[in-house]
């Protein structure tokens, strides 16, 4: 979350899709703490070594996920906005008052050449074993990305979530889910409203009551 | 003196090659990683197509077990290596049959090539080449070399052309492709 000065001195908060799991659901950091940290970024705790190692691993091997995607999913078309050409997409004025504005932002790992598929690479667990099932904690980020890119005019039809380890490459397809998007938007609105106007917020809302049925495993291959 | 320099050059080249894409594992309780003789020879030929090999007469021991000896020559630089004829559990076999001897000879060939540096790290039980802890990969596919050498702005077009010509396909090494598309 970046806080940027505006020319007209209006405050601006930027909520990044990678944090929607906490901003909307308080999963790892509750929403009260997220509010405090968004208002005052210096309160954001530093990552511990464990988290740093995981992040470094992910950054280092993102290119391996992309190369596997190129071979198996690209249909020979090089994606837009990938690797060192990634683009930060914005949904400005998601919520605002006279003094403050809140933007949503997202920086996917790639966008297919036809602009219909978001590519998201995950290199989890420092190369260890993948979870057997789809990791639903990724959904707030994925649906958040879809929201932001659709708002930017891209005809997003799905996200291809690519999980890479040195031994396995697995791709899930996640299609837009209107009910979940609406649920996510309500929670983001609630958060941004508290940013703008103060007030109490549920630190950890109940789980989404609906069903996630809009994803499927596309394939899984063993990497030799 | 000339040969010493060439040995060093060969070592410098082959010991940096990451062969992880070509290794396989065997064994049920203890998984052993190995490089097949075909892959080992294939990789060697990409760097030193003039390399040759031969076998010296087998050594036979009183208990009936045997050892094969291979000599690999790379542009005048020779190294020799031996290997017992073993079963699948890596135990020496007494009175081996022709298939078991043949298998040992091919494994010995790979081991002898390793003496020049190629995949030696596998024999040390390590995951990555000695000087290669950061997964430095040499692009050895000539088509991928074009992609690696392309300017950043041209990589998209070069990739799409190679894909269209089926020079990038499901047989392509993702690790080498990753190296080729890296721009910095």
């Amino acid at each position: 979350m970046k806080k940027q000065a505006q020319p007209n001195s209006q405050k601006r908060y930027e909520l990044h899709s990678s944090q929607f799991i906490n901003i909307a659901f308080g999963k790892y950091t509750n929403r009260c703490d997220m509010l405090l940290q968004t208002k005052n970024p210096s309160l954001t705790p530093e990552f511990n070594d464990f988290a740093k190692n995981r992040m470094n691993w992910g950054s280092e091997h993102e290119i391996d996920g992309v190369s596997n995607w190129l071979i198996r999913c690209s249909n020979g078309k090089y994606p837009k906005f990938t690797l060192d050409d990634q683009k930060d997409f914005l949904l400005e004025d998601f919520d605002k008052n006279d003094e403050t504005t809140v933007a949503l932002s997202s920086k996917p790992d790639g966008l297919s050449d036809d602009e219909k598929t978001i590519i998201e690479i995950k290199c989890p667990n420092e190369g260890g074993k993948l979870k057997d099932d789809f990791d639903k904690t990724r959904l707030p980020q994925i649906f958040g990305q879809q929201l932001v890119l659709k708002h930017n005019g891209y005809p997003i039809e799905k996200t291809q979530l690519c999980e890479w380890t040195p031994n396995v490459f697995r791709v899930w397809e996640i299609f837009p889910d209107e009910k979940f998007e609406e649920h996510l938007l309500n929670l983001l609105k609630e958060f941004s409203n508290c940013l703008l106007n103060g007030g109490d917020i549920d630190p950890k809302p109940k789980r989404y009551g609906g069903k996630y049925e809009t994803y499927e495993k596309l394939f899984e291959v063993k990497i030799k | 003196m000339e040969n010493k320099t060439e040995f060093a050059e060969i070592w410098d080249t082959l010991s940096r090659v990451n062969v992880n894409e070509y290794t396989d594992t065997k064994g049920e309780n203890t998984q052993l990683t190995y490089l097949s003789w075909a892959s080992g020879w294939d990789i060697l030929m990409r760097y030193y197509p003039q390399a040759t090999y031969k076998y010296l007469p087998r050594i036979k021991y009183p208990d009936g077990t045997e050892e094969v000896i291979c000599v690999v020559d790379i542009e005048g630089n020779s190294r020799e290596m031996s290997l017992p004829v073993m079963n699948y559990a890596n135990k020496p076999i007494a009175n081996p049959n022709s298939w078991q001897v043949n298998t040992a000879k091919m494994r010995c060939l790979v081991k002898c090539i390793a003496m020049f540096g190629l995949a030696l790290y596998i024999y040390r039980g390590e995951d990555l080449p000695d000087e290669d802890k950061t997964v430095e990969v040499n692009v050895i596919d000539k088509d991928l070399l074009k992609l690696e050498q392309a300017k950043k702005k041209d990589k998209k077009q070069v990739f799409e052309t190679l894909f269209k010509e089926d020079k990038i396909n499901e047989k392509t090494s993702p690790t080498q492709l990753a190296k080729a598309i890296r721009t910095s």
Side-chain angles (χ1 to χ4, degrees), chain A residues 114-118 146 154-159 174-176:
Chain A
D114 63 5
E115 303 179 344
K116 292 178 180 175
T117 303
I118 294 172
Q146 292 180 355
Y154 292 98
I156 300 301
E157 291 181 354
K158 61 178 182 274
T159 295
I174 301 103
F175 303 93

Side-chain angles (χ1 to χ4, degrees), chain A residues 125-139:
Chain A
N125 203 17
E126 289 187 67
K129 194 174 181 303
L130 289 176
K131 289 182 179 180
D132 289 338
D133 296 324
F134 179 70
D135 183 357
K136 295 185 179 71
T137 63
R138 307 209 186 282
L139 287 174

Side-chain angles (χ1 to χ4, degrees), chain A residues 60-61 63-64 66-68 70-72 74-80 83-85 113 164 222-224, chain B residues 20-24 134-135 152 155-156 159-160 163 168-170 172-175 177-178 181-183:
Chain A
E60 187 183 333
H61 291 287
I63 196 164
D64 293 301
V66 171
S67 69
N68 274 278
L70 284 169
I71 290 170
R72 303 174 197 284
S74 70
N75 291 323
K77 292 291 183 184
Y78 203 83
K80 295 183 173 177
L83 298 173
D84 52 356
D85 277 332
D113 189 61
W164 179 92
K222 187 182 171 197
I223 300 173
K224 290 186 86 179
Chain B
N20 289 1
E21 294 294 320
Y22 305 95
T23 58
D24 212 332
T134 53
V135 198
K152 183 180 166 185
K155 283 193 186 278
K156 175 182 168 69
F159 169 81
E160 291 180 356
F163 198 99
I168 292 176
N169 53 41
E170 292 208 350
T172 301
S173 156
T175 307
L177 178 59
I181 59 175
R182 199 182 292 274
T183 52

Side-chain angles (χ1 to χ4, degrees), chain B:
Chain B
M1 287 301 288
E2 191 182 343
N3 268 2
K4 279 184 183 175
T5 305
E6 288 176 0
F7 266 124
E9 284 172 359
I10 295 166
W11 178 268
D12 197 41
T13 302
L14 295 181
S15 65
R16 289 168 187 265
V17 178
N18 186 322
V19 300
N20 289 1
E21 294 294 320
Y22 305 95
T23 58
D24 212 332
T25 55
K26 72 170 186 177
E28 289 177 6
N29 298 325
T30 306
Q31 288 268 305
L32 296 174
T33 301
Y34 71 98
L35 180 68
S36 76
W37 67 264
S39 294
W41 189 252
D42 179 26
I43 295 166
L44 182 64
M45 286 298 98
R46 297 185 203 188
Y47 288 91
Y48 299 106
Q50 306 300 324
T52 60
Y53 66 94
K54 64 180 179 182
Y55 296 96
L56 302 182
R58 303 201 301 274
I59 298 173
K60 298 187 180 184
Y61 293 94
D63 62 357
T65 60
E66 296 186 14
E67 209 170 54
V68 297
I69 301 169
C70 181
V71 180
V72 170
D73 181 282
I74 300 177
E75 296 175 7
N77 302 273
S78 292
R79 290 195 193 278
E80 184 179 307
M81 181 45 66
S82 62
L83 188 76
V85 181
M86 295 178 287
N87 64 13
Y88 195 73
N90 288 333
K91 303 290 182 195
I93 303 166
N95 305 314
N97 62 31
S98 60
W99 175 252
Q100 290 163 331
V101 171
N102 181 268
T103 301
K105 286 169 85 171
M106 302 322 284
R107 296 309 316 148
C108 191
L109 170 62
V110 179
K111 194 177 172 191
C112 194
I113 293 170
M115 297 304 288
F116 289 92
L118 183 71
L120 187 66
Y121 64 95
I122 289 175
Y123 290 89
R124 275 206 303 257
E126 296 180 2
D127 294 321
L128 296 170
D130 192 13
E131 300 173 30
D132 202 10
K133 298 294 184 187
T134 53
V135 198
E136 180 65 28
V137 178
N138 296 317
V139 173
I140 53 179
D141 182 303
K142 62 180 169 45
D143 294 311
L144 290 183
L145 272 174
K146 288 181 199 165
L147 183 59
E148 186 187 34
Q149 289 161 3
K151 290 179 180 171
K152 183 180 166 185
K153 66 179 177 62
D154 298 327
K155 283 193 186 278
K156 175 182 168 69
Q157 189 188 345
V158 174
F159 169 81
E160 291 180 356
T161 303
L162 290 174
F163 198 99
K164 199 173 179 182
E165 293 170 351
D166 201 33
K167 289 171 179 168
I168 292 176
N169 53 41
E170 292 208 350
K171 291 177 185 170
T172 301
S173 156
T175 307
Q176 290 208 22
L177 178 59
K179 170 80 175 171
I181 59 175
R182 199 182 292 274
T183 52
S184 56

